[in-house]
């Protein structure tokens, strides 16, 4: 700190101490540039009662004791000095006035050290003062920078050089200050101990770009070649600014991803990688990587980098998009419907990018959307034809996945037109094909004989279901007369349908040619059939009818050439034998 005063402390001490005591006053330290000169101010005192006629003095270098033979800087009695000081030293003060000020010229580094003064009043009245002055021979100006320089806050930097040579006065100028500010020269100032300095101040508001800037001060002495320069590097503190970071990143599922965050600040920042408020990695560094191995869709999202130090903070985000094939589609919606209802089925999946979604049925495209994750299928007033297996397929450039689902349409029975009867020799077989959901019950009615046979009577009826089709076959044997009318009736919880089964081929026409005799025979056979069915039903729960062979598969007689149009080959004909009624 520079303190301006017009009356140095050591002169005050001299005035206060006059009264007869040995003592000396001089600056404890003083500096000067190499090649220039220095004036060391000095005052001394002695007891008043001595009253010497002549006062002499000696300046010693680095030791106050003559017995140590220290180098003599100046001696008023003989003018004999050490060779190092020949032509370089002289006394500026008047010893009679108790002023011992010393002038040294053409300073060199080896002249730096301690200087002691010895008073010589004659005889035994000689005294070497313990007070001394330390000379520092310098060659660079002193640039004083505040301990903390913060960007955006005004700062004062000073350049101070010693001005203790009465023969040479320094002139100060700043180096490298362009863009920082204009200097202000305060001029020559006196310090606490009576030494002098030249001071120049530089005021400016630093920026982050000024960090590390090399600022110089030059001291030049007019009419000489002497110039001295000193430099200081600015340590500007400033908050972080993120200067390096990935832009949006796309990565394929399972690949390796490295995210980089770099920040500029002084001091170095604490860098933190975060996602959804969770710290993933942090370190005090200028840059920080976040490494993600075998990324998954769960790691898709926004990542934030936070940079902070004692002077502020900054943050930026980067979006990581993980590309992956569609997940297996899920189907939510109606899978069972009643005929005539509206069916809505939602197929959804997840992928990146969004997929193409398509719903198929039997290789026919029913609905499709492009680059969406959901597909709605609307089927107004469903019919039995809508029943069946459907596929929802999702695909993008990274893969394809599919899910099958079934739509079950429930409806009343429909007896198909291929249902009919056929006769061969003495056997009649009737085929009733029913389309229905749920599975219906089927019964065969012979109205002219007042007989009804249903599928539970396996001796006469064989049934097999395939998909929505139920095929029932009624087999009657021993039909020598005209075949009876046969009505097939099918029912489930949604309705009932009946159909008289037509006879196919020439077999039916031959009954018309039999005439009256044939009619009588047919009537007798009819009576026998009715008697047989009546007795069979009576005995059904007690014993097996003697008209069937033992086992679950009764013997059936049929012509090798006999086939029922529309019936599967695997269906077996079963015989119903008529026996005489007793």
């Amino acid at each position: 700190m520079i303190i301006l005063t017009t009356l140095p402390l050591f002169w005050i001490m001299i005035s206060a101490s006059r009264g007869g005591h040995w003592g000396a006053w001089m600056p404890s330290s003083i500096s000067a540039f190499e090649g220039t000169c220095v004036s060391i101010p000095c005052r001394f005192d002695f007891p008043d009662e001595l009253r010497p006629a002549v006062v002499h003095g000696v300046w010693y270098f680095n030791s106050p004791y003559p017995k140590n033979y220290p180098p003599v800087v100046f001696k008023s009695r003989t003018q004999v000095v050490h060779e190092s000081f020949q032509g370089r030293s002289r006394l500026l003060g008047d010893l009679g006035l108790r002023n011992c000020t010393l002038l040294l010229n053409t300073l060199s580094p080896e002249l730096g050290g301690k200087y002691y003064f010895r008073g010589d009043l004659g005889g035994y009245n000689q005294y070497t003062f313990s007070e001394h002055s330390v000379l520092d021979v310098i060659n660079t100006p002193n640039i004083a920078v505040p301990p903390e320089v913060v960007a955006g806050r005004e700062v004062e930097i000073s350049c101070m050089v010693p001005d203790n040579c009465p023969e040479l006065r320094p002139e100060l100028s700043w180096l490298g200050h362009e863009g920082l500010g204009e200097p202000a020269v305060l001029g020559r100032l006196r310090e606490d101990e009576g030494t002098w300095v030249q001071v120049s101040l530089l005021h400016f508001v630093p920026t982050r770009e000024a960090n590390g800037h090399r600022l110089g001060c030059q001291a030049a002495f007019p009419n000489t070649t002497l110039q001295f320069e000193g430099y200081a590097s600015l340590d500007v503190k400033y908050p972080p600014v993120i200067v390096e970071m990935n832009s949006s990143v796309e990565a394929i599922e399972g690949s390796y991803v490295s995210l980089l965050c770099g920040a500029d600040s002084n001091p170095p920042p604490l860098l933190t990688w975060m996602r959804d408020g969770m710290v993933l990695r942090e370190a005090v560094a200028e840059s920080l990587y976040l490494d993600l191995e075998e990324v998954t869709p769960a790691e898709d999202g926004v990542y934030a980098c936070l940079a902070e130090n004692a002077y502020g903070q900054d943050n930026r985000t980067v979006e990581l998009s993980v590309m992956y094939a569609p997940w297996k589609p899920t189907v939510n919606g109606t899978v069972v419907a009643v005929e005539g209802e509206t069916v809505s089925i939602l197929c959804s999946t997840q992928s990146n990018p969004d997929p193409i979604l398509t719903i198929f049925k039997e290789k026919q495209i029913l609905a499709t959307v492009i680059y969406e994750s959901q597909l709605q299928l609307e089927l107004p007033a469903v019919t039995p034809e809508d029943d069946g297996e459907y596929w929802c397929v999702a695909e993008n450039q990274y893969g394809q996945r599919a899910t099958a689902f079934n739509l079950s349409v429930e409806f009343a029975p429909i007896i198909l037109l291929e249902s009919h009867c056929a006769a061969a020799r003495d056997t009649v077989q009737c085929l009733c094909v029913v389309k229905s959901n749920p599975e219906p019950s089927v019964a065969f009615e012979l109205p002219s004989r007042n007989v009804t046979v249903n599928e539970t009577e396996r001796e006469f009826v064989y049934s097999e279901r395939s998909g929505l089709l139920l095929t029932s076959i009624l087999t009657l044997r021993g039909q020598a007369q005209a075949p009876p009318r046969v009505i097939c009736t099918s029912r489930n919880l949604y309705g009932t349908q009946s159909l008289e089964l037509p006879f196919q081929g020439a077999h039916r026409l031959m009954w018309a040619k039999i005439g009256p005799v044939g009619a009588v025979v047919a009537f007798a056979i009819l009576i026998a059939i009715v008697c047989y069915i009546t007795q069979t039903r009576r005995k059904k729960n007690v014993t097996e009818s003697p008209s069937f062979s033992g086992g679950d598969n009764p013997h059936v007689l049929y012509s090798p050439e006999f086939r029922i149009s529309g019936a599967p080959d695997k269906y077996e004909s079963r015989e119903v034998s008529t026996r005489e009624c007793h």
Side-chain angles (χ1 to χ4, degrees), residues 449 480-482 510-527:
R449 303 175 187 178
Q481 71 272 32
M510 75 177 188
W511 297 100
K513 299 178 182 179
I514 294 178
V517 176
V520 174
V521 175
F523 181 74
I525 294 174
L526 177 61
I527 293 175

Side-chain angles (χ1 to χ4, degrees), residues 470-508:
L470 177 67
T471 303
S472 294
I473 301 175
L474 172 67
T475 303
L476 300 175
R477 188 179 177 279
Q479 303 300 309
Q481 71 272 32
R485 291 173 55 227
V486 178
I487 297 175
C488 177
T489 300
S490 178
R491 61 172 51 86
N492 64 12
L493 58 90
Y494 297 107
T496 302
Q497 186 179 29
S498 297
L499 177 68
E500 182 175 348
L501 303 180
F503 273 81
Q504 290 187 349
H507 304 287
R508 185 173 181 86

Side-chain angles (χ1 to χ4, degrees), residues 213-261:
H213 183 79
R214 196 163 180 257
L215 186 64
C217 178
Q218 184 184 77
F221 293 87
N223 302 318
T224 71
T225 59
L226 297 176
Q227 285 186 349
F228 301 93
E229 295 178 356
Y231 291 90
S233 293
L234 298 180
D235 184 20
V236 181
K237 309 296 184 182
Y238 54 91
V241 173
I242 295 177
V243 296
E244 187 176 14
M245 196 168 185
N246 305 79
S247 57
S248 296
V249 177
E250 288 187 357
I252 300 175
E253 181 179 12
S255 64
Y256 170 82
V257 174
S258 182
L259 303 179
L260 170 64
C261 178

Side-chain angles (χ1 to χ4, degrees), residues 396-544:
N396 62 15
Q397 61 264 44
Y398 300 103
Q400 180 188 84
R401 296 294 297 274
T403 296
F405 63 95
N406 287 290
L407 172 61
S408 178
V409 179
E410 297 186 341
F411 54 94
I414 302 172
I415 299 177
L416 304 186
L417 296 180
E418 58 261 36
S419 302
H420 63 278
C421 292
R425 298 184 182 179
D426 62 346
T427 300
V428 172
Q429 285 189 326
C430 294
L431 176 70
C432 186
V433 182
V434 182
K435 186 175 184 181
S436 173
N437 189 21
E439 183 176 351
S441 62
V442 175
F444 293 93
E445 181 182 0
L446 284 68
S448 59
R449 303 175 187 178
N450 196 25
V451 175
T452 300
V453 182
N454 58 44
E455 56 191 342
T456 61
E457 301 180 76
R458 299 185 181 278
E459 300 91 340
F460 309 106
V461 179
Y462 171 78
S463 296
E464 182 171 302
R465 185 175 176 86
S466 176
L468 298 178
L469 295 180
L470 177 67
T471 303
S472 294
I473 301 175
L474 172 67
T475 303
L476 300 175
R477 188 179 177 279
Q479 303 300 309
Q481 71 272 32
R485 291 173 55 227
V486 178
I487 297 175
C488 177
T489 300
S490 178
R491 61 172 51 86
N492 64 12
L493 58 90
Y494 297 107
T496 302
Q497 186 179 29
S498 297
L499 177 68
E500 182 175 348
L501 303 180
F503 273 81
Q504 290 187 349
H507 304 287
R508 185 173 181 86
L509 297 178
M510 75 177 188
W511 297 100
K513 299 178 182 179
I514 294 178
V517 176
V520 174
V521 175
F523 181 74
I525 294 174
L526 177 61
I527 293 175
I529 291 174
V530 172
C531 292
Y532 168 74
I533 293 175
T534 302
Q535 292 181 7
T536 300
R537 286 186 176 175
R538 269 186 212 149
K539 300 177 182 180
K540 186 172 184 180
N541 297 324
V542 180
T543 180
E544 187 73 26

Side-chain angles (χ1 to χ4, degrees), residues 143-255:
I143 299 178
V145 180
E148 184 178 66
V149 178
V150 181
R153 301 180 192 173
E154 187 179 40
V155 65
E156 178 185 278
I157 297 178
S158 64
C159 176
M160 291 188 298
V161 297
D163 189 8
N164 297 306
C165 177
E167 300 173 356
L168 295 173
R169 299 293 184 194
E171 293 182 353
L172 299 180
S173 60
W174 288 92
L175 306 175
H177 71 286
E178 296 81 3
L180 297 180
E182 291 300 322
V185 179
L186 294 185
R188 192 167 183 254
L189 302 177
R190 173 173 278 180
E191 298 180 295
D192 289 346
E193 294 187 322
T195 57
W196 293 85
V197 292
Q198 282 277 1
V199 179
S200 179
L201 302 179
L202 186 64
H203 290 266
F204 63 96
V205 177
T207 63
R208 67 177 58 243
E209 290 76 18
N211 184 46
H213 183 79
R214 196 163 180 257
L215 186 64
C217 178
Q218 184 184 77
F221 293 87
N223 302 318
T224 71
T225 59
L226 297 176
Q227 285 186 349
F228 301 93
E229 295 178 356
Y231 291 90
S233 293
L234 298 180
D235 184 20
V236 181
K237 309 296 184 182
Y238 54 91
V241 173
I242 295 177
V243 296
E244 187 176 14
M245 196 168 185
N246 305 79
S247 57
S248 296
V249 177
E250 288 187 357
I252 300 175
E253 181 179 12
S255 64

